[in-house]
Structure formats: C-alpha cells, structure tokens
Amino acid sequence: MPASKKTVRRPLLVTSATLLSLSLASLPMLTAGPAFAAKPSPSASASPSATPPANMSTVGGELLGRPGTQANLGSDAPVLPKGISARSWIVADADTGEVLAAHNAHWRLAPASTLKMLFADTLLPKFDKNDKHKVAAADLAGVGAGSSMVGIKEDETYTVDDLWLGVFLRSGNDAVHVLSAMNGGVKKTVADMNAHAEELQALDTHVVSPDGYDAKGQVSSAYDLTLMAMSGLRKEDFRKYCSTVRAKFPGETKKGKNGKKSRSSFEIQNTNRLLTGDSGLDSYQGIAGVKNGNTTNAGATFTGVAQRGERALLVTVMHPEKDEHNQVYKETASLLDWGFKAAGKVTPVGELVPPKSADTSGGGAGEPSAQPGATASASASASGGAGGKSVAAGASGGGGGVGVALGIMGGVLVLVAGAVFLVNRKWPLRGEK
C-alpha cells in the first residue's frame, strides 16, 4: 500500500480538566488493585491456541489477514520494540486511519471488558445522562460470578450518568446489566451490539455477553476493538467517561436514629493504568482513554488512544504471553512510543475502514462538500432513538483510512446520504455532542 498524502491534523479534545473531572488534583493517586470487568464463567470456552489461523479476515487490507507481524519500515524508521509478547496487536494513526504496523490483527480472541467499548458505543445515544432509574432485582440477574462491580444496590435510584461512570471507571458488570435492562434486556442488547458491530465492519466480533464476561463463542480482534474505539471516540460523552480519572458514585441509602434517610457517596477510580498510573508504572504522556479488560480466558486486553503534539495514535493489545504485573500496559506504551517515532517513516500496511453505511452511501468526490475547518455540528440534525436524540452511533462516519470510498481529503466535510448527516474524514474526537 502506498503511503498516504499528508493531511491537516486536529488535536484530541481531551483536556486536563476532563481527565480530572469530578476529582481533586491534590489528592494522592489511589492504588487500588486491578478491577477487571469479567471473570471466567464455568461454561467459558477453553483458552485459544497460541497459534494464529493461517487465513484471517482481510478487512482493511490484504496484509492484515496474514499471520505474524506486518510492517513496512522506511530506511530511517525505528525498529519495532522488542519483548512484545501479545498474541495480537495493532498500531494505527487516529487521524488518517492508517495502520502503521500490526501483528495477527484479525485473530479472533476473547475480548474481555474491552468489549464494553462496543456496549457503550451502541447504547450511549439511547438515554439522556440525567435520566433516573430505580434498580430492581431483575436488573441484576445474570451478572456472572466473580464479576467486577461498581456497587449498585437493589431499590436504589441512579442517574444514567452514574451508571456510565460505573461502566467506564470500574468496568462494573452490574452497571452494564442495569443499562441493558433499561434497553429491553440482555438478549436485546446483545442483538443490538452484534448489529452495530456489523455496521462498523467489525466482522471478527461475536457478542454473547454485553459486559465481556467469558462466554463460549464470544470473540473479537485487535482490529475490531480499534474500530469500536474509533467510533466511540467520536461521541463527546464517550470521550469524557473514558478519560475521567476518578469520580464520586452514589452509595446506599441509610436511615439515621431520627428516622431521616441519607445517602453518601464513595470515590471510584479508573482501572486504565496508563491513565491513572500504578505501582511501578507511570501514567502515559498524552493518554486519553480508552478501555482495559482481563479474564482467565482472554488474558489481559487493552485499547488506548494517546496524542503528542498534532499526532494521535490508537493501539490495541490482546493477551500478552508474559505474565508480569501491568504487562498489557507496558506493551501498549512501547507500541505507542514506537508509533510516535515511526509516524511518517513507514508505509501503512492497511487501514481502518469506515462503517458500512458510510462506505456504501455513495459519497464521493462528486458530492457537495463544506469548506475545510467547518465543524460537524450539522450532524445534530440526525435524530432517532429514545426522545429523538442523535443516534449516529458510527453510522455517521467516523473515519476510515486512505483509499476508502468516501473521497474525503484533508479536513473537508463531505455531504452523504441526502444531507442526513456529515461524515468527518478527520474522525478523532470531533464528533457528536
């Protein structure tokens, strides 16, 4: 694949204020143990073979379907980092969609809680964050034994905002199940997630449990998880939640001696260790999310987005073979470091494709377009779902790399599908409100 033309880049819209949302910067960093979203269920499938299949999907480019490491380094490009033990990984430019290097990118593996990125991208547009919900016992039915929890209590009322903080910060399977109940149940939510994965062209993905809890047949890939992150990061609320370091979460209502009821709150911290730091691990310069996971079946998984200067990168790492503390974060940091040094010095080995609706909507060079620098605010006219809220959910574009059938160059916005929405070729963090 030839190297792409250079484009004007936009910075990630993640600020230090967002990173410290609902927190006190002067407080010492909490050192909680890893809170992983899913523990293996007794019926979970056995661990996958450590040998990738000979033939994998070629979505995004023929090289991405080959087993092993795929990289096309220029003469002045840095060598790939040594000691990367992950079964699968990918490094992509978040502005252009170019895949700079990959290793078994389409290997279908258990995703653990990185699958919550798809859950959030699917359901976030459906509820107003100020809506309130009183939790019933049925809402929490089916939460897997050993799941990580944020601490939701039956008969207590929570806002949707509370529930999303529980999903993103504590990877709470209890919060996932409550939101799924609000969406019509786990079965419907799983169907919605599978449909959205197909729309995103995340075709390696099959959802069985919405929270990432180990389940037979539940798989994704480093490529697909990167597509999910790409779509989610176009949503302002998604960006806010995945970059929040710590927040207050409602506790249990208690009755005092005088019979008066009161409800306190407790602090929760993000389990993304590149965001928060940990013992022996510094927070990563420029990190802005996205999601981590760990189960016996999946091993450790992680997708992260980071920016330095005007360049933003997405990295996904799945199942490092080295069994060391924070290994998935260390390998992600090494790949990010390499990507920032290698940018502009490598020929891409593939691309992150746009959603199916954007790819087949007929947009191209002949379509009317806005001027460079225009915002995507016009996409607010796209409505649907509960209360007529925006439900772009990836269908409004978001991306894709070089060579996609949108004919969008640089920062130009191209009108697609009868002016229902605008597709922003420069996808990162310039999406829906």
Side-chain angles (χ1 to χ4, degrees), residues 12 19 42 54 59 62 75 130-131 136 160 254 269 307 361-362 368 393 402:
L12 300 175
L19 291 174
V59 171
E62 186 271 334
S75 59
N130 296 313
D131 287 347
V160 168
K254 295 182 179 180
Q269 179 176 281
Q307 176 162 342
S361 60
V402 139

Side-chain angles (χ1 to χ4, degrees), residues 1 60-64 97-100 223 347-352 401-402:
M1 173 181 291
E62 186 271 334
L63 289 176
L64 298 181
E98 295 169 344
V99 177
L100 306 185
Y223 185 88
T347 300
V349 295
E351 64 182 3
L352 300 176
V402 139

Side-chain angles (χ1 to χ4, degrees), residues 3 42 48 126 134 144 182 204 223 262 283 298 303 315 327 355 368 375 398:
K126 296 190 175 188
K134 185 175 182 179
M182 294 173 64
D204 298 323
Y223 185 88
S262 64
S283 58
T303 296
V315 168
Q327 186 64 27
T375 69

Side-chain angles (χ1 to χ4, degrees), residues 274 281 284 315 328-338:
L274 286 190
L281 181 73
Y284 190 82
V315 168
V328 72
Y329 301 113
K330 294 174 182 177
E331 296 193 9
T332 299
S334 292
L335 289 168
L336 283 168
D337 286 344
W338 174 83

Side-chain angles (χ1 to χ4, degrees), residues 252-310:
E252 191 172 2
T253 300
K254 295 182 179 180
K255 186 181 293 186
K257 293 181 179 180
N258 59 0
K260 187 176 181 179
K261 293 182 179 179
S262 64
R263 191 179 188 187
S264 60
S265 61
F266 56 93
E267 189 172 86
I268 57 175
Q269 179 176 281
N270 202 310
T271 58
N272 174 353
R273 300 309 186 211
L274 286 190
L275 187 65
T276 65
D278 195 17
S279 176
L281 181 73
D282 293 332
S283 58
Y284 190 82
Q285 179 188 352
I287 194 72
V290 176
K291 190 71 189 77
N292 59 310
N294 196 320
T295 68
T296 299
N297 192 38
T301 60
F302 181 66
T303 296
V305 63
Q307 176 162 342
R308 290 185 180 175
E310 295 185 344

Side-chain angles (χ1 to χ4, degrees), residues 188-267:
K188 179 180 182 300
T189 299
V190 167
D192 289 349
M193 290 172 67
N194 279 318
H196 189 46
E198 184 175 353
E199 157 64 17
L200 296 179
Q201 300 204 61
L203 305 182
D204 298 323
T205 298
H206 178 67
V207 181
V208 178
S209 177
D211 49 23
Y213 190 90
D214 281 341
K216 186 176 181 179
Q218 181 155 275
V219 291
S220 190
S221 66
Y223 185 88
D224 282 13
L225 292 173
T226 309
L227 285 182
M228 295 169 197
M230 180 171 69
S231 180
L233 286 166
R234 294 192 71 251
K235 298 173 174 61
E236 185 177 56
D237 283 344
F238 189 105
R239 299 195 301 271
K240 182 193 79 172
Y241 291 128
C242 79
S243 63
T244 298
V245 174
R246 56 174 77 89
K248 295 292 185 181
F249 193 82
E252 191 172 2
T253 300
K254 295 182 179 180
K255 186 181 293 186
K257 293 181 179 180
N258 59 0
K260 187 176 181 179
K261 293 182 179 179
S262 64
R263 191 179 188 187
S264 60
S265 61
F266 56 93
E267 189 172 86

